[in-house]
Amino acid sequence: MEEQLNLFANTINPLTLLVGVIFVIAAVVVYIFPPKKINYFYGYRTASSMKSQEAWDFSQRYSAVIMFRLGLILLGASLINLLLPMSQNVDFILGAFLIVLGCVFLIWATENNIKKKFPNP
């Protein structure tokens, strides 16, 4: 029984793996098929991205690139337990932290670049 527990201790983190895959797929879809018009259903939707069609188009492409990179980082992070064995609790907390940090970074980076590219008059 203890051998079986040790076998599962050094595996990939399913949380970061799943979110990484979702980020990569969503980023590819939004990059290839960006929403053409400003809407409340699909794409990167914030007040600053919806101020103009130009800001909308820019934010869709920019956020998709950042999301793709974050997805790759999360996919890599899902393998960290193979290199640095840790308990499942620590692995889960680290994975959840990286996901939240990635989402915050995605919004922060996109909003900052919208403000730089489209300053308020």
Side-chain angles (χ1 to χ4, degrees):
M1 180 72 171
E2 190 173 322
E3 273 184 43
Q4 290 174 339
L5 290 176
N6 286 337
L7 176 67
F8 289 110
N10 294 337
T11 61
I12 59 174
N13 183 326
L15 178 66
T16 53
L17 177 68
L18 179 63
V19 174
V21 168
I22 291 170
F23 270 30
V24 168
I25 292 170
V28 169
V29 168
V30 171
Y31 192 83
I32 294 173
F33 305 107
K36 305 275 186 248
K37 296 180 182 178
I38 298 172
N39 69 76
Y40 290 98
F41 304 109
Y42 171 58
Y44 181 84
R45 302 172 313 273
T46 62
S48 61
S49 69
M50 299 171 89
K51 281 188 178 177
S52 70
Q53 187 64 44
E54 294 80 20
W56 177 259
D57 294 338
F58 171 79
S59 65
Q60 303 312 308
R61 292 278 182 173
Y62 188 86
S63 65
V65 169
I66 298 295
M67 186 182 293
F68 183 82
R69 291 176 183 168
L70 288 171
L72 293 179
I73 290 169
L74 289 173
L75 288 174
S78 70
L79 303 173
I80 197 166
N81 205 18
L82 296 173
L83 302 172
L84 301 169
M86 60 187 84
S87 74
Q88 285 182 327
N89 289 340
V90 171
D91 191 32
F92 177 81
I93 291 169
L94 179 61
F97 176 75
L98 287 174
I99 291 166
V100 171
L101 186 65
C103 291
V104 169
F105 177 76
L106 171 67
I107 295 167
W108 175 82
T110 305
E111 291 299 309
N112 275 345
N113 279 283
I114 292 170
K115 288 176 188 172
K116 286 179 188 175
K117 188 157 177 81
F118 306 100
N120 290 333

